[in-house]
Amino acid sequence: MNHIIFQLVAVATLLACAVPASATAKKVIFDTDPGTDDALALMLALNSPELDVRAITVVPGNVTASQGLENALRMVSLANRCDIPVAAGAQHPLFQKLITAEFWHGKNGLANVELPASKCKVDSHFGPDLIIQMVHAAPHEITLVPVGPLTNIALAVLKDPSIVPLVKEVILMGGSIAGGNVNAAAEANIYNDPEAAQIVFQAGWPLTMVGLDVGDKTLFSRKYLAQLGQTHGPVNDFIYAVGKYLVDLSAQFGSLGSPMYDPLAVGVAVDATLVKAPEMHVDVETRGEFTRGETVANRHGMVERNVLHGNHYVIEALDKVAPNAKVCVDVEADRFLQLFVSRIKGK
Ligand code: RIB
Ligand code: CA
């Protein structure tokens, strides 16, 4: 009898070992406005065994929708991943004009690095439709990683709200609880489509906000650039060129390194222990004269209840507000940067 049990255990062990890495990896849809830091993030995702990038959807932001699509197709071609569907999405924010950021990302959005023409073909789906289709095809398995304005994600929710309970998690780059980067209040991804962001933050799914609060503590400096300069490969050399552009640009503004905004969102998908992320209720301001696009986080989870008494209000209670996001407030920056370099070196 023991002999039979031993054989059963051996077979079960072999089957477990025989499971291909991708079958255990986290299934991810990457929504992006490529974008220099988007490029670093995508190459990290494609070279992390913990992740299985199932689709890339493109959103206008750093560059126009058409430039972003071209950039995404060239990058998956560089990485020899034409198997990953790349789909165009929204062509503009929900209610405002697009604001592009060639000022920061270079004329073509990829640090003016000219990649070879893509060997890959664009997927025929509209990005939000592809998200809907893939979430229904793999319920409770898909993690959405948006690292641009949230237009595509909002359109997917508006078109089919039933995807919300079927999405495993949303890990987004965006927002800040201590001031903006485009102005005093707003971070770029939120600022470029505040209405879309409010839809995404209020949808009710598990959401992690990887904002400026941790990105600004995670600086890709010449130290890490030099490490990438010691090895070579098509992806390695591309990321080195983009990284050099970013480090040089940061130096022009007196900074020792370039914030790893988008790559850190992928980092959190790879290893959530990299960050400290308390739960908070977050709303997105869509009307403020000075604050449109601000992510307004309630750290204490309470709102004072004011009751009218004659000609004035009196505070009579504290009402709880349910958290809707894990907000990243601290990060093991060097551990993430070492992970990033280790995944890109020599690829
Ligand atoms: O504020 C930083 C964000 O805006 C990053 O996603 C960057 O790529 C830009 O889209
Ligand atoms: Ca981006």
Side-chain angles (χ1 to χ4, degrees), residues 43 47 78 225-243 341 343-347:
M43 293 309 176
N47 289 282
L78 181 76
L225 183 67
Q227 290 175 22
L228 283 180
Q230 293 161 359
T231 49
H232 290 286
V235 171
N236 185 133
D237 297 347
F238 169 58
I239 295 301
Y240 179 87
V242 175
V341 169
R343 300 295 168 87
I344 300 296
K345 273 182 88 73
K347 294 291 171 44

Short mmCIF file of all heavy atoms in Angstrom, two decimals, residues 43 47 78 225-243 341 343-347:
data_model
loop_
_atom_site.label_atom_id
_atom_site.label_comp_id
_atom_site.label_asym_id
_atom_site.label_seq_id
_atom_site.Cartn_x
_atom_site.Cartn_y
_atom_site.Cartn_z
N MET A 43 9.11 46.73 -20.27
CA MET A 43 10.21 45.78 -20.38
C MET A 43 10.43 45.02 -19.05
O MET A 43 10.79 43.84 -19.04
CB MET A 43 11.48 46.47 -20.82
CG MET A 43 11.41 46.99 -22.24
SD MET A 43 10.87 45.69 -23.41
CE MET A 43 10.77 46.65 -24.92
N ASN A 47 9.89 40.87 -18.67
CA ASN A 47 11.06 40.10 -18.21
C ASN A 47 10.95 39.71 -16.74
O ASN A 47 11.97 39.52 -16.07
CB ASN A 47 12.34 40.91 -18.47
CG ASN A 47 12.67 40.98 -19.95
OD1 ASN A 47 13.19 40.02 -20.55
ND2 ASN A 47 12.33 42.11 -20.57
N LEU A 78 10.62 44.49 -30.46
CA LEU A 78 12.00 44.47 -29.93
C LEU A 78 12.18 43.31 -28.94
O LEU A 78 13.21 42.64 -28.92
CB LEU A 78 12.31 45.79 -29.23
CG LEU A 78 13.71 45.92 -28.64
CD1 LEU A 78 14.74 46.19 -29.75
CD2 LEU A 78 13.76 47.03 -27.60
N LEU A 225 22.10 53.22 -13.88
CA LEU A 225 22.36 53.31 -15.32
C LEU A 225 23.68 52.64 -15.66
O LEU A 225 23.80 51.88 -16.62
CB LEU A 225 22.39 54.78 -15.74
CG LEU A 225 22.58 55.05 -17.23
CD1 LEU A 225 21.37 54.57 -18.03
CD2 LEU A 225 22.84 56.54 -17.49
N ALA A 226 24.70 52.90 -14.83
CA ALA A 226 26.03 52.32 -15.07
C ALA A 226 25.96 50.79 -15.03
O ALA A 226 26.60 50.10 -15.82
CB ALA A 226 27.02 52.83 -14.04
N GLN A 227 25.14 50.25 -14.13
CA GLN A 227 25.00 48.79 -14.06
C GLN A 227 24.43 48.24 -15.37
O GLN A 227 24.89 47.21 -15.87
CB GLN A 227 24.09 48.41 -12.88
CG GLN A 227 24.72 48.68 -11.51
CD GLN A 227 23.74 48.40 -10.37
OE1 GLN A 227 22.77 47.66 -10.51
NE2 GLN A 227 23.99 49.01 -9.21
N LEU A 228 23.47 48.97 -15.95
CA LEU A 228 22.90 48.51 -17.23
C LEU A 228 23.88 48.72 -18.37
O LEU A 228 23.79 48.07 -19.42
CB LEU A 228 21.59 49.27 -17.52
CG LEU A 228 20.37 48.82 -16.74
CD1 LEU A 228 19.16 49.64 -17.13
CD2 LEU A 228 20.10 47.33 -16.95
N GLY A 229 24.85 49.62 -18.16
CA GLY A 229 25.83 49.87 -19.22
C GLY A 229 26.90 48.80 -19.30
O GLY A 229 27.66 48.74 -20.26
N GLN A 230 26.94 47.92 -18.30
CA GLN A 230 27.98 46.86 -18.28
C GLN A 230 27.59 45.64 -19.10
O GLN A 230 28.39 44.74 -19.32
CB GLN A 230 28.24 46.44 -16.82
CG GLN A 230 28.88 47.52 -15.97
CD GLN A 230 28.71 47.26 -14.47
OE1 GLN A 230 28.09 46.24 -14.07
NE2 GLN A 230 29.22 48.14 -13.64
N THR A 231 26.34 45.57 -19.51
CA THR A 231 25.88 44.40 -20.27
C THR A 231 25.18 44.88 -21.55
O THR A 231 24.93 46.08 -21.70
CB THR A 231 24.87 43.58 -19.43
OG1 THR A 231 23.87 44.48 -18.91
CG2 THR A 231 25.56 42.88 -18.29
N HIS A 232 24.89 43.94 -22.42
CA HIS A 232 24.25 44.33 -23.68
C HIS A 232 23.20 43.32 -24.10
O HIS A 232 23.18 42.19 -23.63
CB HIS A 232 25.31 44.48 -24.79
CG HIS A 232 26.19 45.68 -24.56
ND1 HIS A 232 25.75 46.97 -24.77
CD2 HIS A 232 27.45 45.77 -24.07
CE1 HIS A 232 26.74 47.82 -24.46
NE2 HIS A 232 27.76 47.11 -24.03
N GLY A 233 22.35 43.77 -24.96
CA GLY A 233 21.24 43.01 -25.52
C GLY A 233 20.27 44.03 -26.08
O GLY A 233 20.34 45.21 -25.70
N PRO A 234 19.36 43.62 -26.95
CA PRO A 234 18.47 44.61 -27.57
C PRO A 234 17.62 45.38 -26.56
O PRO A 234 17.53 46.61 -26.64
CB PRO A 234 17.61 43.77 -28.52
CG PRO A 234 17.83 42.36 -28.15
CD PRO A 234 19.15 42.26 -27.47
N VAL A 235 17.05 44.67 -25.60
CA VAL A 235 16.22 45.35 -24.59
C VAL A 235 17.10 46.13 -23.63
O VAL A 235 16.84 47.30 -23.31
CB VAL A 235 15.35 44.33 -23.82
CG1 VAL A 235 14.65 44.98 -22.63
CG2 VAL A 235 14.35 43.67 -24.76
N ASN A 236 18.20 45.50 -23.17
CA ASN A 236 19.16 46.16 -22.28
C ASN A 236 19.61 47.50 -22.88
O ASN A 236 19.59 48.55 -22.20
CB ASN A 236 20.35 45.22 -22.12
CG ASN A 236 21.43 45.68 -21.14
OD1 ASN A 236 21.87 44.91 -20.32
ND2 ASN A 236 21.88 46.92 -21.20
N ASP A 237 20.00 47.49 -24.15
CA ASP A 237 20.55 48.70 -24.77
C ASP A 237 19.48 49.76 -24.98
O ASP A 237 19.74 50.96 -24.84
CB ASP A 237 21.21 48.35 -26.11
CG ASP A 237 22.39 47.40 -25.91
OD1 ASP A 237 22.82 47.22 -24.74
OD2 ASP A 237 22.86 46.81 -26.91
N PHE A 238 18.25 49.31 -25.29
CA PHE A 238 17.14 50.27 -25.43
C PHE A 238 16.85 50.94 -24.09
O PHE A 238 16.75 52.17 -23.99
CB PHE A 238 15.89 49.54 -25.95
CG PHE A 238 14.62 50.35 -25.90
CD1 PHE A 238 14.52 51.58 -26.55
CD2 PHE A 238 13.52 49.90 -25.20
CE1 PHE A 238 13.35 52.33 -26.51
CE2 PHE A 238 12.35 50.64 -25.13
CZ PHE A 238 12.26 51.86 -25.80
N ILE A 239 16.76 50.14 -23.04
CA ILE A 239 16.46 50.69 -21.72
C ILE A 239 17.61 51.56 -21.24
O ILE A 239 17.41 52.61 -20.60
CB ILE A 239 16.13 49.56 -20.72
CG1 ILE A 239 14.85 48.85 -21.15
CG2 ILE A 239 16.01 50.10 -19.29
CD1 ILE A 239 13.63 49.74 -21.25
N TYR A 240 18.84 51.18 -21.58
CA TYR A 240 19.98 52.04 -21.22
C TYR A 240 19.83 53.41 -21.89
O TYR A 240 20.00 54.46 -21.25
CB TYR A 240 21.31 51.40 -21.65
CG TYR A 240 22.49 52.28 -21.31
CD1 TYR A 240 23.10 52.21 -20.06
CD2 TYR A 240 22.98 53.22 -22.24
CE1 TYR A 240 24.17 53.06 -19.74
CE2 TYR A 240 24.04 54.07 -21.92
CZ TYR A 240 24.63 53.98 -20.68
OH TYR A 240 25.68 54.81 -20.36
N ALA A 241 19.47 53.42 -23.17
CA ALA A 241 19.34 54.69 -23.91
C ALA A 241 18.21 55.55 -23.34
O ALA A 241 18.37 56.76 -23.11
CB ALA A 241 19.07 54.40 -25.39
N VAL A 242 17.08 54.91 -23.03
CA VAL A 242 15.96 55.66 -22.44
C VAL A 242 16.33 56.13 -21.04
O VAL A 242 16.09 57.28 -20.65
CB VAL A 242 14.68 54.80 -22.40
CG1 VAL A 242 13.55 55.53 -21.68
CG2 VAL A 242 14.24 54.43 -23.82
N GLY A 243 16.98 55.22 -20.27
CA GLY A 243 17.39 55.58 -18.92
C GLY A 243 18.37 56.74 -18.92
O GLY A 243 18.27 57.66 -18.08
N VAL A 341 16.96 46.37 -12.41
CA VAL A 341 18.21 46.20 -13.17
C VAL A 341 18.46 44.73 -13.43
O VAL A 341 18.81 44.31 -14.55
CB VAL A 341 19.39 46.85 -12.41
CG1 VAL A 341 20.73 46.46 -13.04
CG2 VAL A 341 19.24 48.36 -12.38
N ARG A 343 16.40 42.36 -13.86
CA ARG A 343 15.50 41.79 -14.87
C ARG A 343 15.84 42.27 -16.28
O ARG A 343 15.47 41.63 -17.25
CB ARG A 343 14.05 42.13 -14.54
CG ARG A 343 13.56 41.61 -13.19
CD ARG A 343 13.51 40.13 -13.14
NE ARG A 343 13.33 39.58 -11.81
CZ ARG A 343 12.15 39.37 -11.22
NH1 ARG A 343 11.05 39.77 -11.82
NH2 ARG A 343 12.08 38.81 -10.03
N ILE A 344 16.50 43.43 -16.39
CA ILE A 344 16.78 44.01 -17.71
C ILE A 344 18.18 43.65 -18.20
O ILE A 344 18.42 43.49 -19.40
CB ILE A 344 16.63 45.55 -17.67
CG1 ILE A 344 15.21 45.94 -17.26
CG2 ILE A 344 16.99 46.19 -19.00
CD1 ILE A 344 14.11 45.53 -18.21
N LYS A 345 19.11 43.47 -17.25
CA LYS A 345 20.54 43.24 -17.62
C LYS A 345 20.69 42.06 -18.60
O LYS A 345 20.17 40.97 -18.38
CB LYS A 345 21.36 42.91 -16.36
CG LYS A 345 21.90 44.12 -15.64
CD LYS A 345 22.74 43.76 -14.43
CE LYS A 345 24.18 43.55 -14.80
NZ LYS A 345 24.90 44.80 -15.11
N GLY A 346 21.33 42.39 -19.72
CA GLY A 346 21.70 41.31 -20.66
C GLY A 346 20.57 40.81 -21.55
O GLY A 346 20.78 39.93 -22.40
N LYS A 347 19.34 41.45 -21.36
CA LYS A 347 18.22 40.92 -22.19
C LYS A 347 18.32 41.48 -23.61
O LYS A 347 18.67 42.63 -23.78
CB LYS A 347 16.89 41.30 -21.54
CG LYS A 347 16.71 40.59 -20.20
CD LYS A 347 16.50 39.10 -20.41
CE LYS A 347 16.53 38.29 -19.13
NZ LYS A 347 15.80 38.79 -17.98
#
